[in-house]
Amino acid sequence: MSLYRDTGVVLRVHKLGEADRIITLLTRRHGKVRAVAKGVRRTTSRFGARLEPFGHVDVQFYTGRTLDVITQVQTVDAFALPLVGDYQRYTAASAIAETADRLTAEEGEPAVRLYLLVTGALRALADGQRDASLVLDAFLLRAMAFAGWAPAITECARCGLPGPHTAFSVPAGGSLCGNCRAPGSVRPAPEVLVLLEALLHGDWEIAEASVQGARRDASGLVAAHLQWHLERQLRSLPLVERRPREVAVKS
């Protein structure tokens, strides 16, 4: 029996038989791993609650013939606890997990950068100090950069002319100058492009100063760009609640 250990984030779970589950994790060293957790649906399971979506766990596996088997689990970060009771943060986390799953089609291929992006985004959502919609869009932009799909924001996607430019085309790859503008291009407001650039590079002071209209339009461009490259719609993305984060008022 070949044993190995890794830390990972639970992306999704599927029922298997009467008491087992297939757990899909994005791990630090082994990339995406699908493994069987035996008996976790029983109330007497030792680690069933630790293998719920968004859990950040330290896992021991042994190599099976078709699927590996989980033998030990320890919680590293209980991200799920603060997320499941908040619809906006929960749906944003679901979109993050689904995107990570789609971007790691090959199992066993290391994806350290994506793993760090996922854990960082879930930590930010669980902490609750940043707007969930901004956290999600920042993750999606950086995940697309990881996949080689980052939209051109400050230069023309076709000729590379420095911008900012007034046209944006998802099929063309992002911003377009006047000479390269394609039919069907949209004209986002300048503050939308400023927000996209801030989210891509982690400038949270600029991102959090943005107005709701710019956030809404930026989210639309990010979602369209991602789904164009994935060639299919994310099931969780339309469910994300795009509303401004409520700020507590001191009495």
Side-chain angles (χ1 to χ4, degrees):
M1 180 174 66
S2 177
L3 293 173
Y4 67 98
R5 197 174 195 97
D6 208 342
T7 55
V9 176
V10 178
L11 301 181
R12 58 191 173 102
V13 301
H14 286 102
K15 293 180 181 179
L16 179 65
E18 295 183 356
D20 304 339
R21 279 180 176 163
I22 297 176
I23 312 295
T24 302
L25 304 102
L26 179 61
T27 66
R28 176 183 285 272
R29 293 186 299 275
H30 298 84
K32 186 161 73 173
V33 175
R34 294 172 69 244
V36 176
K38 295 183 178 295
V40 294
R41 290 161 56 200
R42 297 192 182 102
T43 56
T44 56
S45 171
R46 293 179 293 114
F47 47 73
R50 301 172 191 169
L51 291 172
E52 294 295 331
F54 320 133
H56 187 207
V57 289
D58 182 295
V59 190
Q60 180 175 280
F61 309 85
Y62 78 77
T63 306
R65 292 183 179 180
T66 55
L67 291 173
D68 296 347
V69 178
I70 295 172
T71 58
Q72 293 182 16
V73 183
Q74 293 181 347
T75 298
V76 178
D77 294 292
F79 293 141
L81 290 177
L83 297 179
V84 294
D86 185 301
Y87 180 80
Q88 186 185 30
R89 288 192 286 164
Y90 175 81
T91 53
S94 298
I96 288 169
E98 186 180 357
T99 300
D101 191 19
R102 295 281 183 86
L103 292 180
T104 49
E106 296 294 327
E107 295 182 28
E109 292 293 326
V112 177
R113 184 181 172 192
L114 185 59
Y115 162 82
L116 294 174
L117 286 174
V118 171
T119 54
L122 292 179
R123 182 172 287 109
L125 287 176
D127 184 59
Q129 297 301 307
R130 300 198 187 281
D131 183 274
S133 184
L134 292 178
V135 172
L136 172 59
D137 288 336
F139 168 80
L140 295 178
L141 283 167
R142 296 175 195 181
M144 284 191 283
F146 160 80
W149 303 338
I153 301 172
T154 58
E155 71 284 335
C156 177
R158 287 184 171 172
C159 70
L161 182 70
H165 301 296
T166 58
F168 193 99
S169 170
V170 168
S175 295
L176 296 173
C177 67
N179 293 330
C180 297
R181 187 185 177 202
S185 300
V186 297
R187 289 183 174 272
E191 55 265 28
V192 174
L193 298 179
V194 170
L195 175 57
L196 290 175
E197 181 74 4
L199 291 173
L200 179 60
H201 296 291
D203 191 334
W204 286 101
E205 184 176 353
I206 292 177
E208 292 180 331
S210 61
V211 299
Q212 189 59 26
R215 297 183 185 189
R216 181 187 61 247
D217 293 347
S219 294
L221 291 178
V222 170
H225 196 86
L226 174 65
Q227 291 175 152
W228 169 269
H229 285 283
L230 289 176
E231 299 182 343
R232 60 187 298 186
Q233 186 174 8
L234 291 175
R235 292 175 297 174
S236 54
L237 202 53
L239 302 177
V240 176
E241 187 177 76
R242 301 285 190 173
R243 59 175 171 80
R245 181 169 63 92
E246 295 180 0
V247 180
V249 177
K250 295 181 180 180
S251 57

mmCIF file of all heavy atoms in Angstrom, residues 41 43 63 77 89-91 167 190 201 203 238:
data_model
loop_
_atom_site.group_PDB
_atom_site.id
_atom_site.type_symbol
_atom_site.label_atom_id
_atom_site.label_comp_id
_atom_site.label_asym_id
_atom_site.label_seq_id
_atom_site.Cartn_x
_atom_site.Cartn_y
_atom_site.Cartn_z
ATOM 1 N N ARG A 41 -20.667 9.321 5.350
ATOM 2 C CA ARG A 41 -22.070 9.732 5.462
ATOM 3 C C ARG A 41 -22.761 9.117 6.670
ATOM 4 O O ARG A 41 -23.925 9.416 6.949
ATOM 5 C CB ARG A 41 -22.823 9.367 4.182
ATOM 6 C CG ARG A 41 -22.393 10.231 2.999
ATOM 7 C CD ARG A 41 -22.756 9.627 1.669
ATOM 8 N NE ARG A 41 -24.187 9.354 1.569
ATOM 9 C CZ ARG A 41 -24.716 8.501 0.691
ATOM 10 N NH1 ARG A 41 -23.919 7.830 -0.134
ATOM 11 N NH2 ARG A 41 -26.011 8.320 0.645
ATOM 12 N N THR A 43 -23.315 8.764 10.701
ATOM 13 C CA THR A 43 -23.212 9.704 11.830
ATOM 14 C C THR A 43 -22.023 9.390 12.724
ATOM 15 O O THR A 43 -21.566 10.253 13.477
ATOM 16 C CB THR A 43 -24.498 9.679 12.669
ATOM 17 O OG1 THR A 43 -24.747 8.328 13.107
ATOM 18 C CG2 THR A 43 -25.687 10.173 11.848
ATOM 19 N N THR A 63 -2.933 4.878 -2.323
ATOM 20 C CA THR A 63 -3.185 4.750 -3.749
ATOM 21 C C THR A 63 -4.010 3.501 -4.033
ATOM 22 O O THR A 63 -3.606 2.381 -3.707
ATOM 23 C CB THR A 63 -1.858 4.690 -4.525
ATOM 24 O OG1 THR A 63 -1.069 5.826 -4.181
ATOM 25 C CG2 THR A 63 -2.112 4.677 -6.020
ATOM 26 N N ASP A 77 -7.969 24.881 8.023
ATOM 27 C CA ASP A 77 -8.801 26.078 8.145
ATOM 28 C C ASP A 77 -10.255 25.673 7.926
ATOM 29 O O ASP A 77 -10.581 25.039 6.912
ATOM 30 C CB ASP A 77 -8.425 27.141 7.101
ATOM 31 C CG ASP A 77 -7.040 27.710 7.309
ATOM 32 O OD1 ASP A 77 -6.850 28.403 8.325
ATOM 33 O OD2 ASP A 77 -6.161 27.457 6.465
ATOM 34 N N ARG A 89 -21.667 35.172 0.358
ATOM 35 C CA ARG A 89 -20.328 34.597 0.476
ATOM 36 C C ARG A 89 -20.318 33.126 0.084
ATOM 37 O O ARG A 89 -19.351 32.635 -0.514
ATOM 38 C CB ARG A 89 -19.802 34.788 1.901
ATOM 39 C CG ARG A 89 -19.440 36.240 2.206
ATOM 40 C CD ARG A 89 -18.662 36.362 3.500
ATOM 41 N NE ARG A 89 -19.503 36.177 4.677
ATOM 42 C CZ ARG A 89 -19.047 35.939 5.893
ATOM 43 N NH1 ARG A 89 -17.740 35.828 6.101
ATOM 44 N NH2 ARG A 89 -19.856 35.829 6.915
ATOM 45 N N TYR A 90 -21.417 32.406 0.397
ATOM 46 C CA TYR A 90 -21.478 30.988 0.031
ATOM 47 C C TYR A 90 -21.491 30.808 -1.486
ATOM 48 O O TYR A 90 -20.782 29.949 -2.026
ATOM 49 C CB TYR A 90 -22.723 30.354 0.650
ATOM 50 C CG TYR A 90 -22.931 28.920 0.223
ATOM 51 C CD1 TYR A 90 -22.234 27.883 0.840
ATOM 52 C CD2 TYR A 90 -23.818 28.594 -0.802
ATOM 53 C CE1 TYR A 90 -22.398 26.571 0.438
ATOM 54 C CE2 TYR A 90 -23.993 27.287 -1.213
ATOM 55 C CZ TYR A 90 -23.289 26.275 -0.577
ATOM 56 O OH TYR A 90 -23.451 24.983 -0.989
ATOM 57 N N THR A 91 -22.300 31.598 -2.190
ATOM 58 C CA THR A 91 -22.369 31.451 -3.646
ATOM 59 C C THR A 91 -21.067 31.895 -4.306
ATOM 60 O O THR A 91 -20.644 31.310 -5.311
ATOM 61 C CB THR A 91 -23.558 32.244 -4.216
ATOM 62 O OG1 THR A 91 -23.506 33.606 -3.758
ATOM 63 C CG2 THR A 91 -24.876 31.620 -3.784
ATOM 64 N N ALA A 167 -12.785 50.587 -26.225
ATOM 65 C CA ALA A 167 -13.547 49.413 -26.660
ATOM 66 C C ALA A 167 -13.065 48.164 -25.930
ATOM 67 O O ALA A 167 -11.888 48.061 -25.545
ATOM 68 C CB ALA A 167 -13.418 49.226 -28.167
ATOM 69 N N PRO A 190 -14.458 54.324 -18.163
ATOM 70 C CA PRO A 190 -13.046 54.261 -17.745
ATOM 71 C C PRO A 190 -12.852 53.666 -16.358
ATOM 72 O O PRO A 190 -11.882 52.937 -16.120
ATOM 73 C CB PRO A 190 -12.605 55.730 -17.800
ATOM 74 C CG PRO A 190 -13.519 56.369 -18.797
ATOM 75 C CD PRO A 190 -14.840 55.672 -18.640
ATOM 76 N N HIS A 201 -4.347 43.049 -9.966
ATOM 77 C CA HIS A 201 -3.051 43.241 -9.303
ATOM 78 C C HIS A 201 -3.170 43.446 -7.791
ATOM 79 O O HIS A 201 -2.179 43.750 -7.128
ATOM 80 C CB HIS A 201 -2.328 44.424 -9.938
ATOM 81 C CG HIS A 201 -1.970 44.198 -11.381
ATOM 82 N ND1 HIS A 201 -1.020 43.288 -11.776
ATOM 83 C CD2 HIS A 201 -2.486 44.731 -12.524
ATOM 84 C CE1 HIS A 201 -0.935 43.280 -13.093
ATOM 85 N NE2 HIS A 201 -1.806 44.139 -13.580
ATOM 86 N N ASP A 203 -4.829 45.731 -5.914
ATOM 87 C CA ASP A 203 -4.847 47.084 -5.357
ATOM 88 C C ASP A 203 -6.219 47.305 -4.715
ATOM 89 O O ASP A 203 -7.138 47.856 -5.316
ATOM 90 C CB ASP A 203 -4.593 48.119 -6.458
ATOM 91 C CG ASP A 203 -4.324 49.514 -5.898
ATOM 92 O OD1 ASP A 203 -4.792 49.799 -4.783
ATOM 93 O OD2 ASP A 203 -3.645 50.305 -6.571
ATOM 94 N N PRO A 238 -24.318 32.324 -12.035
ATOM 95 C CA PRO A 238 -25.556 33.118 -12.047
ATOM 96 C C PRO A 238 -26.227 33.222 -10.683
ATOM 97 O O PRO A 238 -27.088 34.089 -10.480
ATOM 98 C CB PRO A 238 -26.453 32.357 -13.042
ATOM 99 C CG PRO A 238 -25.525 31.552 -13.877
ATOM 100 C CD PRO A 238 -24.409 31.170 -12.961
#
